[in-house]
Amino acid sequence: MRNLLIVISGPSGVGKGTIVERLLSRGNYSLSVSCTTRAPREGETEGKSYFFISKKKFLEMIDEGGFLEFSNHFESYYGTPKAFVEKQLEERDVILEIDVDGGLQVKRSHPEALLIMILPPDRETLRSRLAGRGTEKPETIEKRLARADYEIEKSRLYDYTVINGELNAAVTEIENIIKREKE
Ligand code: ADP
Ligand code: 5GP
């Protein structure tokens, strides 16, 4: 069976992090840790949540071709370190939790990658999950909701769309997609 490069995307607050955590606890996947220039949120750990780096360092890594993909949104850069992903793929499936622009870049360089978009049951649910997480200021929540419309519009370019209504059902649906793709 081949190892898969699995891209999980979706609007901020939809539950990507929660879903990925479940996938990791139930299966043998490697999670790519991204680099970002945004400040850490409370509870986030260097090297686990992200590698928190300066904009200068980020731009140097772009020049060196160190990213599999990168994008710039919410006034910060986010990127997937290339070397880690390529190494891990030799051993097992690798999950990337990245935005749509990044996901579509990955599809261009790795057409065999599996792109899964997570969507909320509706907009109000998304708003209440984002607010309920308690990590964002009201104006940041509005920015993230505006970006959500863009992500939802691009979901048609993804291989699969999964609605995160009941958590376990969404995780099982994703596991079934992965199983099917590996056959
Ligand atoms: P993302 O990584 O997409 O930004 P998170 O995983 O941080 O989203 O989830 C946002 C909030 O929604 C968290 O408080 C999380 O506990 C909650 N959440 C995630 N999935 C569900 C679900 N299926 N039902 C209810 N709440 C959920
Ligand atoms: P957050 O600031 O909430 O952690 O992430 C904001 C957005 O950046 C989310 O949509 C998340 O998936 C995306 N993101 C995180 N890491 C990367 C990455 O390495 N590349 C890209 N393109 N997007 C990323």
Side-chain angles (χ1 to χ4, degrees):
M1 271 194 295
R2 68 197 174 103
N3 293 329
L4 276 182
L5 186 52
I6 303 161
V7 173
I8 305 271
S9 301
S12 190
V14 74
K16 300 180 295 295
T18 310
I19 286 175
V20 166
E21 218 172 274
R22 288 283 176 108
L23 286 170
L24 292 174
S25 71
R26 286 160 51 155
N28 183 25
Y29 305 101
S30 184
L31 176 66
S32 160
V33 178
S34 299
C35 294
T36 184
T37 60
R38 86 153 159 74
R41 291 185 191 125
E42 203 167 315
E44 286 185 330
T45 324
E46 166 71 18
K48 201 156 177 256
S49 319
Y50 284 103
F51 295 105
F52 296 98
I53 64 175
S54 66
K55 187 171 167 191
K56 180 169 178 284
K57 171 86 179 128
F58 199 102
L59 296 176
E60 277 168 17
M61 278 182 72
I62 295 177
D63 284 346
E64 291 160 3
F67 289 117
L68 182 66
E69 62 71 38
F70 68 91
S71 73
N72 184 337
H73 54 261
F74 308 133
E75 289 136 38
S76 304
Y77 283 95
Y78 296 83
T80 304
K82 193 196 262 177
F84 175 84
V85 171
E86 292 184 343
K87 183 94 193 65
Q88 288 295 309
L89 261 183
E90 292 168 14
E91 310 283 330
R92 56 184 73 82
D93 299 333
V94 178
I95 298 178
L96 309 183
E97 189 203 314
I98 61 178
D99 78 327
V100 273
D101 293 339
L104 295 173
Q105 280 176 57
V106 169
K107 194 72 174 176
R108 262 176 255 134
S109 59
H110 293 73
E112 72 291 353
L114 173 62
L115 267 49
I116 302 175
M117 176 71 71
I118 314 292
L119 293 181
D122 52 65
R123 205 178 155 78
E124 265 324 292
T125 308
L126 183 63
R127 179 187 288 277
S128 70
R129 282 187 194 163
L130 252 183
R133 193 169 66 184
T135 53
E136 250 70 37
K137 290 189 251 142
E139 61 269 27
T140 321
I141 291 182
E142 289 313 316
K143 267 190 211 156
R144 284 174 181 257
L145 282 171
R147 170 84 187 178
D149 294 331
Y150 173 78
E151 302 247 339
I152 291 164
E153 203 272 320
K154 293 275 178 188
S155 62
R156 63 196 162 78
L157 300 171
Y158 268 50
D159 298 311
Y160 293 91
T161 299
V162 172
I163 308 283
N164 182 20
E166 202 280 308
L167 181 62
N168 267 320
V171 173
T172 303
E173 190 178 340
I174 293 170
E175 285 174 335
N176 288 338
I177 290 170
I178 294 170
K179 214 181 292 164
R180 238 184 3 251
E181 288 288 324
K182 284 177 75 76
E183 277 163 5

